[in-house]
Amino acid sequence: MADTPVSSTTLCTMTKLLEWLLGVSVIGIAWGLVTFDLLDLHVPSQYKELAWPMPVYLLVVFGCYSLATVGYRVATFNDCEDAARELQTQIKEAKVDLQKLGLKM
Amino acid sequence: RINMATRRSNTNTCGQSDTYSVLLPTYNERENLPLIVWLLVKYFGESGYNYEIIVIDDGSPDGTLQVAEQLQKIYGEDKILLRPRAQKLGLGTAYIHGIKHASGNYVIIMDADLSHHPKFIPQFIEKQKAGGYDLVSGTRYRGDGGVYGWDLRRKLISRGANFITQVLLRPGASDLTGSFRLYKKEVLEKLVEQCVSKGYVFQMEMIVRARQLGYTVGEVPISFVDRVYGESKLGGNEIVSFLKGLLTLFATT
């Protein structure tokens, strides 16, 4: 493997669970800082009002996206009718040929 | 359609021929085994690639092994290898057992119940050569891949489970539970040694670990013809054990 900087090596060996926890923590801290003005940054109130319901909004958006994506994928799931027909034809052909070659079923 | 270019591509840079070992774990496949072997012989014959078929029967009570012996007489012991086991043991150990006896430098794993069609094997081979992939996976979810014989419930469960898997594991492959794949032999050996899961999750773990180890994964759309679904519906137990396995992979890889 080529030389990789230490920080990306650490990330590469993190489990997906840890990556998620890290991501959620970073977003959570950012949200907390803005909504509750934890660092006394004197964040304008409209930003606070915008940030406060964000977690719920994001969850709802993700939920809708998931339903839409899975719904679309189920609807467009290819039905391989031709493949099934072809297989049936080939099975018949195979059985005849195998009998000729001496197979006893 | 075999021309000189195809023949030439059978040899790698060292001038040795590529040989493809097909592993066929079987359990009660007395009726399907001759058909799958016939199809494999047909498509490998047409493509000109070197191959061997290794039948790993787990002590089937229906006489699968006897049928395999007949096939061996018909097609030759160099093409059909029998490596049976006394009883039904796991798929992972079947692969390990099969690899030990495989003389090829590539290994193809597939189901013996005709849900996987050998006509895709030349496409797997060409994809592997084109991209130099360490493994090529058949996908039902992309391109003109698909299934036959699934009702709405089954499709919903399949796509739903795949979606959750993609979100949690971001695996870089569209079909993780599929078991129609071409591996470089040493890659399969390495992966089977590392994987601990069972069932559907085993196939998922193989791809996840492959990515972890830096192996490259190519995909080829395949059609999956399910003739068994009517008899064995996907029940609550399997769904629960799938989710448990998925969460384990999520927390450990």
Side-chain angles (χ1 to χ4, degrees), chain B residues 144-186:
Chain B
D144 49 10
V147 293
Y148 176 82
W150 281 7
D151 58 11
L152 187 63
R153 175 183 177 267
R154 183 70 180 86
K155 284 184 187 176
L156 195 56
I157 294 174
S158 181
R159 285 292 199 175
N162 183 259
F163 179 79
I164 297 172
T165 307
Q166 295 290 331
V167 167
L168 288 180
L169 299 182
R170 299 183 333 266
S174 62
D175 190 344
L176 287 160
T177 54
S179 51
F180 192 6
R181 298 181 184 160
L182 164 68
Y183 290 85
K184 287 183 182 170
K185 186 159 95 173
E186 63 275 14

Side-chain angles (χ1 to χ4, degrees), chain A residues 18-34:
Chain A
L18 286 177
E19 280 180 24
W20 269 80
L21 289 175
L22 184 64
V24 168
S25 307
V26 165
I27 294 174
I29 290 169
W31 175 79
L33 282 177
V34 173

